[in-house]
Every structure is written in structure tokens, then in C-alpha cells.
Amino acid sequence: MPNNSTDEPSVPFERTEEFRLLRMLHNIGATKPEKSLSIHEISEWTETEASEIDTELQKLAKQGFIQSIEADGTTKYHVTLSGMRKVLSMYS
Amino acid sequence: MNICFATWEFPPRIVGGIARHCNGLAKALARNGHEIHVITLDFPGTPSYEECDGVMIYRTPTELGHPNFLTWALLFNHFIEKKIAGVNRKVDFDVVHVHDWLTGFAGISFKHQMQKPMVATIHGTEVGRAQGLHNPDSFTIDGIEWWTTYEANKIIVTSDSMKGEVHGHFHLPQEKIEIIPNGIDPKRYNAPVNRSAVRGRYGVNPREKLILCVGRLVPQKGIEYLISAIPQISESHRDSRLIIVGEGWLRGHLERIARSTRYQRKITFTGWIPDRELIALLNSADVLVVPSIYEPFGIVALEGMAAGVPVVVSDVGGLSEIVEHERTGILAYSRSPESIAWAIERVLSDPDHSEWLVRNARDMVQKTYSWEAIAMRTAKVYKEVAG
């Protein structure tokens, strides 16, 4: 097992805002279409401006971690299977 | 015996190795004549109750959520506990078996309310996973782990290194800790596949060397060190390709490292793939690499051995107990791209030696890691605590 010491690549343990939002959506149970939440509801949970959340939600949707549905005349969001796996990878 | 498993993951809710472990062990215990009830969390697209190969599976919804993970874990334990109590009224469990701290609360309540024994399998510790306790959540999880091991009548760990870790960190008596390794069903992994078709799906042509890595994309898996080894491997094997299977919060960072090597076109991230596809890939790879920096057991190495692919693993934790260097696989220093590159080259450069390693590894898996043998050893622990 020959070994040459190397500099360790840095690991960004800090979480991004979008990942924090994804984790929160998962933990409050928005994991299926019938439990989807509107931007207004997410804003209340996170105590963050709706306009800021919208940007993060679009990023998460683009990556396939959340999905939107139209319900009660508004757009609502829930975490996808891929998003659940992303979140759960932190805890196992 | 009437046995209750409490686990937060069970197929198809697969996060790490716990789901596969619980599934294999539960089915083997059922085959050995025990009555097994698995209480777990719901998952989209799965029924709330089903029987599968003699195992009764209850998936309980978590009616309340909370943004804080620890509070959420406390809440889902309450729903698991309620389900255990409900099933216990009909079944009268002899023992409850919890897996990691995540279902510790439910198990401890059951133990005291029903005056029945609790067994806990510790698959990994927070201090090991996070390589230290760096934030308040980690300290809390560490405390819950200690509490779970303190309350359990018996602790099961999957490797000698885990026994040392649990004994040392939680100050438990040695005799309270039993080592019972993980198991696999070797037949399931030794599947006939059309290698060129499988490789073709990932853009790997028959001449190229397929280096496979399977694991959650989190720091403890050490995947960045494997990626950093690719330039060195490519010097001697220009036709090599790295396929990384798995999902995790570190993926963006790993993809950036892959780009920085300037060998990005040789590295593919597949994300999560179903088990059938994973088995097909294992059977089509030229080498499986497990570059972890912390690994209580490392079941993926056994899966690779059963599939007949030569394995290269880090010389850490359970991996160094599973793999015998130069006899059933190759050990490399963890956190060392140079050592990982050397080990991969050792496999790719000498096909005869690799075949010999594969034969030895397959024999060892058959003899040592069958679920039947592991279920018998686990049942012995249940009998001991149940009196």
C-alpha cells in the first residue's frame, strides 16, 4: 500500500440556502402532492421573504428535488423521491 | 419468537445500509421460523401494510412535521411507538430490536412500558460519521446514541472496529456488545448480465476499464480522494472510466472536484439507481472501489465480491476486516489518491491476479456472510435477553 501524503481537498460542510430549504420542506412533511405547500406557507415556516424563497424553489425544481402542482388556485411545492434521498443522506 | 424491528428505513425507503440490513435479516429470521414485524416510516408509493417473504411490514405516516430534524425525529418516534403498541396488543412481542439512535426513543419506551427487552444495533456513531462533534445537533445525537446503548439489554455491532468505538466512546462493558456482521444474499448479486449492453447505457465501450464506486455522496465515503486519483490512473490506463453511483448533499462539491481534474469526461455521476440496475453495473465493472474514510462495516464491498468484481477498499473500520489484502481484494490507505490509484492499477494491470482475488472473495462471502448464519446468531442474542 504505497502512500504519499497529499493535501486534503476541502469539503464544504456549510449548507447552501437551497439545501436548507429542501431539508425544511422534508422535515415539515411536504413529501407528497397532498401535503404540498404554497410559497406563502413556506415563507411563514421559514420566516423568509417569499421573493427569496421563489429563487431557491426554482433552483430545487430545476434539479428535480421538488415538484410543483396547481391546487386551490395557487402553485404548491413538495419534495420528490430524489429530494428525499438527498435530504436523508445527511442523517444516515 | 415474536420480534419487532423498529427502523426508520426499510425498502424501498433506502437511505444507507440500514434498509438492506433490516430487509436481509428480517427475511432470514422469518425463514428460520420467527414472527417478524417491521415498524417503519411511510414512503411515497408504498402500502401502509404488506407481507413480504414472511415479514410483516407496517409503514406509519408522520402526521406532524417540524423544520428541525431532531424534533422531527422525536415526532416520528412517537408515531412508531404508537404503532408498536398497537401491534403488540395482538402479537405480544418477545423483544424489540432498534437500529441506530433514530428509533431509540420508541424502543426505550417500549422496553419500560411493556417490561420487555430491547436490543439495539449500532450501525455507526455520530462521532464517527461526522469525524467529531462539531455542532449542537451532533452533541444531541451523540447523547441519544449513548442513551440508547445504555438502555439496551444488548448491543449488536457489525465489526470489531465498531465494538472498539462503541465500547470506548460510550464506556459500555465489553460483554454487553456482540459482534454480528452484516450479511448478503450472494445469489442475488451473481446475476447473468449483458455486460456490453449495461456498459453501453453509461457510454462505456467494451475496451474501456470501468471503475465503479457506489455510496452516498457524503464526506465519510471519501469519494473526492478517488476522483483525485483519476489523473494518475489515466496515465497508465488511458481507457479508464469512473462511474459514481449514489446521491447525497455533497454531490455539487464532488462534481466541481471532477471538473477541476480536467478528466471530467471520464467521470459520470448516475445519481440513485434501482437495485436491479446496481447489480447489473456491479457485474459489468472491472473494479469496485470503496474509498471511505469512516466505515463501520461496508456492505457494498461484500456486494461487489458476490458479484465477482475485484474490490479495492480503504484500510479503515469494517472494510479492513472484510477484505484480506492481496487475497480477497486490495487495501489502500484512506484519504490518499496515490494509494487508491496504486491499488486500482494493481487490479487493472494483472487480470490473472484479479481473477484469483475474485475467486477467493466469492468463497469467503459464501462461507462467512450468509443471512442464515447471521440470523441464527441474532436469534441467540434475542433468546439471551428474553431469558
Side-chain angles (χ1 to χ4, degrees):
Chain A
M1 288 186 287
N3 183 30
N4 296 312
S5 63
T6 60
D7 293 328
E8 288 186 19
S10 63
V11 176
F13 281 96
E14 72 279 355
R15 316 279 183 258
T16 61
E17 275 307 299
E18 67 201 73
F19 187 67
R20 190 181 70 82
L21 181 60
L22 181 68
R23 271 197 302 165
M24 196 226 56
L25 284 171
H26 170 270
N27 293 352
I28 61 177
T31 51
K32 44 183 112 169
E34 60 271 27
K35 296 226 175 162
S36 296
L37 298 173
S38 67
I39 286 196
H40 177 68
E41 289 166 319
I42 298 169
S43 172
E44 285 187 343
W45 271 107
T46 56
E47 298 176 340
T48 311
E49 288 296 317
S51 56
E52 287 176 39
I53 292 169
D54 190 41
T55 312
E56 306 304 335
L57 288 173
Q58 299 318 315
K59 282 187 207 165
L60 290 170
K62 201 174 165 190
Q63 294 171 85
F65 296 139
I66 63 169
Q67 203 167 16
S68 64
I69 57 162
E70 293 300 319
D72 308 324
T74 185
T75 306
K76 294 187 168 190
Y77 299 89
H78 64 273
V79 181
T80 61
L81 284 183
S82 170
M84 283 179 75
R85 290 202 170 90
K86 190 83 166 177
V87 172
L88 295 176
S89 73
M90 272 208 61
Y91 303 125
S92 186
Chain B
M1 295 182 83
N2 294 338
I3 300 151
C4 175
F5 269 23
T7 173
W8 88 315
E9 55 169 306
F10 195 82
R13 187 187 161 92
I14 299 172
V15 184
I18 296 176
R20 286 191 177 84
H21 175 94
C22 289
N23 191 36
L25 180 58
K27 286 176 178 170
L29 285 163
R31 284 195 296 276
N32 288 359
H34 299 285
E35 193 173 312
I36 305 294
H37 299 257
V38 174
I39 317 288
T40 190
L41 296 181
D42 68 346
F43 196 65
T46 55
S48 57
Y49 173 78
E50 67 176 326
E51 281 186 43
C52 186
D53 297 331
V55 177
M56 283 145 277
I57 305 155
Y58 308 78
R59 295 187 179 89
T60 180
T62 308
E63 305 290 351
L64 287 172
H66 194 279
N68 177 272
F69 175 70
L70 287 170
T71 311
W72 177 66
L74 194 65
L75 288 168
F76 77 62
N77 264 266
H78 169 69
F79 290 97
I80 285 180
E81 191 183 323
K82 272 200 335 190
K83 181 58 80 178
I84 295 173
V87 178
N88 184 65
R89 280 195 287 276
K90 297 175 210 155
V91 177
D92 189 21
F93 292 124
D94 295 304
V95 61
V96 64
H97 186 166
V98 304
H99 294 266
D100 269 0
W101 68 275
L102 286 143
T103 47
F105 299 109
I108 292 166
S109 294
F110 174 86
K111 175 193 164 191
H112 288 285
Q113 285 171 15
M114 304 299 168
Q115 295 293 299
K116 296 286 174 67
M118 174 178 86
V119 171
T121 293
I122 302 299
H123 296 266
T125 62
E126 179 68 8
V127 72
R129 278 188 298 270
Q131 298 288 289
L133 302 173
H134 306 291
N135 58 55
D137 279 5
S138 269
F139 275 99
T140 307
I141 291 170
D142 181 63
I144 300 166
E145 285 173 346
W146 167 79
W147 184 35
T148 304
T149 59
Y150 174 80
E151 289 278 2
N153 298 72
K154 197 90 181 185
I155 305 297
I156 294 174
V157 294
T158 55
S159 63
D160 193 47
S161 74
M162 267 306 288
K163 181 171 180 174
E165 190 177 319
V166 167
H167 164 67
H169 187 64
F170 298 125
H171 307 290
L172 297 174
Q174 294 267 15
E175 57 273 20
K176 190 175 176 178
I177 310 167
E178 193 77 30
I179 302 171
I180 304 178
N182 253 316
I184 62 163
D185 175 7
K187 291 193 293 293
R188 197 162 164 256
Y189 291 89
N190 190 10
V193 297
N194 182 336
R195 275 172 62 104
S196 58
V198 174
R199 293 160 73 102
R201 287 203 284 277
Y202 297 89
V204 181
N205 71 46
R207 294 186 316 280
E208 289 178 309
K209 300 290 184 193
L210 199 171
I211 302 164
L212 183 64
C213 177
V214 181
R216 282 174 298 118
L217 306 185
V218 294
Q220 73 183 69
K221 297 298 176 187
I223 294 168
E224 63 201 82
Y225 302 102
L226 170 59
I227 294 172
S228 300
I230 288 300
Q232 189 177 329
I233 296 162
S234 296
E235 281 175 22
S236 51
H237 293 280
R238 288 187 173 191
D239 54 352
S240 55
R241 289 282 305 275
L242 171 60
I243 305 278
I244 299 169
V245 175
E247 189 52 87
W249 63 269
L250 202 63
R251 180 167 174 167
H253 176 69
L254 294 173
E255 286 174 336
R256 279 192 293 279
I257 294 177
R259 281 196 293 276
S260 75
T261 64
R262 289 186 284 174
Y263 286 84
Q264 188 188 358
R265 60 188 173 77
K266 286 177 171 284
I267 303 169
T268 303
F269 290 83
T270 69
W272 182 87
I273 62 173
D275 267 6
R276 221 168 108 186
E277 185 65 9
L278 172 60
I279 291 168
L281 255 179
L282 283 168
N283 277 273
S284 306
D286 293 296
V287 58
L288 172 72
V289 186
V290 190
S292 305
I293 59 174
Y294 172 75
E295 197 66 80
F297 185 75
I299 199 163
V300 68
L302 285 188
E303 293 171 345
M305 289 169 162
V309 57
V311 297
V312 165
V313 304
S314 295
D315 188 15
V316 295
L319 288 170
S320 55
E321 295 168 43
I322 294 171
V323 173
E324 190 180 339
H325 185 52
E326 293 283 12
R327 210 189 81 79
T328 57
I330 305 290
L331 293 173
Y333 289 109
S334 72
R335 301 175 191 259
S336 169
E338 286 76 14
S339 184
I340 293 168
W342 169 84
I344 292 170
E345 282 172 23
R346 178 89 181 95
V347 167
L348 296 182
S349 306
D350 191 343
D352 290 340
H353 184 58
S354 295
E355 271 183 39
W356 185 76
L357 294 175
V358 165
R359 278 199 303 276
N360 292 339
R362 269 197 166 135
D363 281 352
M364 189 268 300
V365 169
Q366 293 275 4
K367 283 175 191 156
T368 317
Y369 296 101
S370 83
W371 275 121
E372 264 56 37
I374 287 151
M376 281 165 68
R377 291 172 65 181
T378 308
K380 208 172 147 193
V381 171
Y382 296 154
K383 282 187 184 122
E384 187 187 326
V385 297

